[in-house]
Amino acid sequence: MTDTEAPRRRRPRNRKAQILSAAAEAFSERGYHPVGIDDIAATVGISGPALYRHFPTKYALFVHTVMRLADLLLAATDPTVVDGPDAEARMNAVLTAVIRTTIDNRRTGGLYRWEGRYLVGDDKVALRDALYTLHGRVEDPLKTLRPELPDADAALLATAAISVVASITAHRTALSAKQIETMILDAAWSVLQADLPPGSADSASRDVATPDSKRELLLHESILLFYEHGFHDVSIEDIGAAVGINASSVYRYFPSKAELLAAAFHRANEKLTDTLQTSLARSTDPVTAIATLCRLYTELTFGQSELVAVYFAEIGNLPAEQRSGLRNVQRQNIERWAQLLRDARPELSVVASRFLVHAALGVVFDVGRAVRFDRSDATVARVHTVMVAVLMGRQ
């Protein structure tokens, strides 16, 4: 090389890993559709075409990021790696492995919970199979520990325990890894030891009120469509058609699709606030208030599962300024719930109470999905019991 020649730049050996890390964080924070290849490439410090040398499409990159934690969880809980002299030791080892792996991937670990819906074909099957295998690795030792449990109860409790662990990916509350591990392990055990009320073959759904104005009907139908298809794949024309009006008429009530989504978030926050206030009004002490709050929240989630799902899954599709404001409202709701929990359990720290509130809210939704939000009184009572176990610990 002559003095006038520039030194040849070498591609970093870990470039692919850098891309995957940047993509996972972007998809986790903002969702699959709002993130572009150029956004990810800029984070890594390369061009879009350079990124395509590693991944041919955004979807191919997305599949890798979604499957990564599932693969890591399966590797960490492989029976050849995790074992123990008895069922309790095996369960403890499996839970600890899941917790540590999730802590190590906390910033991106929630991808499969919310964005996995955008997988298609064999990729969707692969994720489902991986999660089914992980579920079995929790359920199998549980059945040995509690042989009296019906299969449905063991499945529900295993789902809830995994949800407790996964909940740490839904927020950024700071705590040392060791403290998180200890607290979440104890909460998972509280769930696995819960005594569920009897199930029921009945699944009589409660009536859902019909919206009484055009604006309310538009909001109602948009929530259903966002839940069914995802925000990105629903158009204003789709929403108008669901109500029986044209797109231009929709704009008389909402100036944009994003405003409809924001209205859904505000509606969910209003209902969460009302739930808390109602539980306090009906209770004479903090412990009773927690039990009442859990029952009302479970009824709310099962009665309006589409709204709650949109609330959890679609915030990344809001414009940045609206997203920031709504996250502040969400944090305020968590703080109110956490304060009530500390009133009931004074030994808890401020940070620990936040972790447990996030875990309890996540459990209701994750178990709800597993039981298809069956609105029967028996199912709601069973999920309520699990939520109380998360918050109140081993009794």
Side-chain angles (χ1 to χ4, degrees):
M1 181 177 72
T2 67
D3 292 340
T4 59
E5 289 179 318
R8 179 178 297 175
R9 296 180 61 185
R10 295 185 179 275
R11 186 182 306 164
R13 292 184 178 180
N14 65 338
R15 177 69 81 203
K16 189 170 185 177
Q18 291 177 342
I19 293 170
L20 283 170
S21 177
E25 290 194 17
F27 291 143
S28 295
E29 179 66 24
R30 296 163 53 199
Y32 172 58
H33 285 294
V35 175
I37 282 291
D38 289 338
D39 299 326
I40 299 167
T43 302
V44 181
I46 60 177
S47 66
L51 188 150
Y52 284 122
R53 298 192 193 108
H54 300 275
F55 297 95
T57 63
K58 187 176 86 165
Y59 178 76
L61 175 56
F62 177 65
V63 171
H64 277 77
T65 60
V66 172
M67 291 301 301
R68 180 173 178 272
L69 181 62
D71 292 339
L72 289 172
L73 288 169
L74 291 187
T77 58
D78 190 290
T80 62
V81 176
V82 175
D83 201 0
D86 53 39
E88 182 175 353
R90 289 196 300 276
M91 176 66 81
N92 210 65
V94 168
L95 290 175
T96 300
V98 174
I99 292 169
R100 289 176 179 174
T101 303
T102 305
I103 290 172
D104 289 344
N105 297 274
R106 187 179 175 191
R107 288 186 63 83
T108 60
L111 253 182
Y112 74 89
R113 294 177 78 198
W114 307 116
E115 300 302 303
R117 59 195 164 141
Y118 293 119
L119 294 176
V120 298
D122 291 343
D123 298 321
K124 179 174 287 189
V125 172
L127 177 61
R128 184 191 63 202
D129 290 347
L131 297 179
Y132 181 81
T133 299
L134 178 66
H135 187 278
R137 290 176 182 175
V138 176
E139 185 177 349
D140 289 346
L142 176 61
K143 287 181 175 180
T144 303
L145 280 170
R146 301 185 63 183
E148 81 285 0
L149 284 177
D151 288 346
D153 287 18
L156 188 152
L157 294 176
T159 297
I162 293 170
S163 174
V164 166
V165 180
S167 70
I168 70 172
T169 68
H171 59 99
R172 297 291 176 260
T173 306
L175 202 60
S176 73
K178 186 60 181 176
Q179 289 174 305
I180 295 175
E181 179 182 323
T182 300
M183 179 176 54
I184 294 298
L185 180 62
D186 187 66
W189 271 112
S190 297
V191 165
L192 294 174
Q193 294 174 341
D195 293 320
L196 299 176
S200 171
D202 297 330
S203 53
S205 297
R206 298 175 176 83
D207 292 334
V208 178
T210 302
D212 57 3
S213 71
K214 187 71 72 177
R215 188 180 192 280
E216 286 297 309
L217 186 58
L218 281 166
L219 182 57
H220 174 76
E221 292 297 332
S222 68
I223 289 169
L224 296 180
L225 288 168
F226 294 155
Y227 172 77
E228 182 72 21
H229 304 289
F231 176 80
H232 179 81
D233 290 331
V234 174
S235 67
I236 286 290
E237 287 77 11
D238 295 330
I239 296 168
V243 179
I245 61 178
N246 58 33
S248 61
S249 296
V250 175
Y251 290 120
R252 292 171 53 194
Y253 299 92
F254 296 95
S256 68
K257 191 171 70 164
E259 289 295 333
L260 268 164
L261 183 60
F265 271 84
H266 286 298
R267 178 60 48 81
N269 280 320
E270 290 169 3
K271 291 184 177 298
L272 292 174
T273 300
D274 290 345
T275 297
L276 178 59
Q277 292 174 342
T278 301
S279 70
L280 292 173
R282 294 183 183 178
S283 307
T284 57
D285 62 87
V287 174
T288 304
I290 287 291
T292 303
L293 179 59
C294 290
R295 179 174 58 79
L296 293 175
Y297 180 76
T298 304
E299 291 175 353
L300 168 64
T301 302
F302 275 59
Q304 300 200 32
S305 55
E306 298 90 355
L307 174 62
V308 176
V310 169
Y311 181 74
F312 273 113
E314 298 289 1
I315 193 168
N317 286 300
L318 286 174
E321 64 277 5
Q322 290 180 314
R323 188 163 66 243
S324 177
L326 281 166
R327 286 201 188 280
N328 286 334
V329 174
Q330 288 178 330
R331 281 191 285 269
Q332 290 169 10
N333 270 321
I334 294 294
E335 287 303 315
R336 295 188 187 103
W337 286 50
Q339 180 58 60
L340 179 59
L341 180 57
R342 290 196 299 280
D343 291 341
R345 296 183 61 187
E347 79 278 7
L348 289 176
S349 69
V350 172
V351 175
S353 64
R354 291 173 188 154
F355 269 87
L356 292 179
V357 169
H358 279 289
L361 298 178
V363 155
V364 177
F365 188 73
D366 286 337
V367 174
R369 285 197 294 190
V371 299
R372 301 182 183 277
F373 292 104
D374 166 32
R375 295 173 183 171
S376 67
D377 290 337
T379 300
V380 170
R382 287 153 66 79
V383 178
H384 161 257
T385 298
V386 172
M387 189 179 188
V388 172
V390 174
L391 293 174
M392 298 305 294
R394 305 185 215 193
Q395 301 297 304

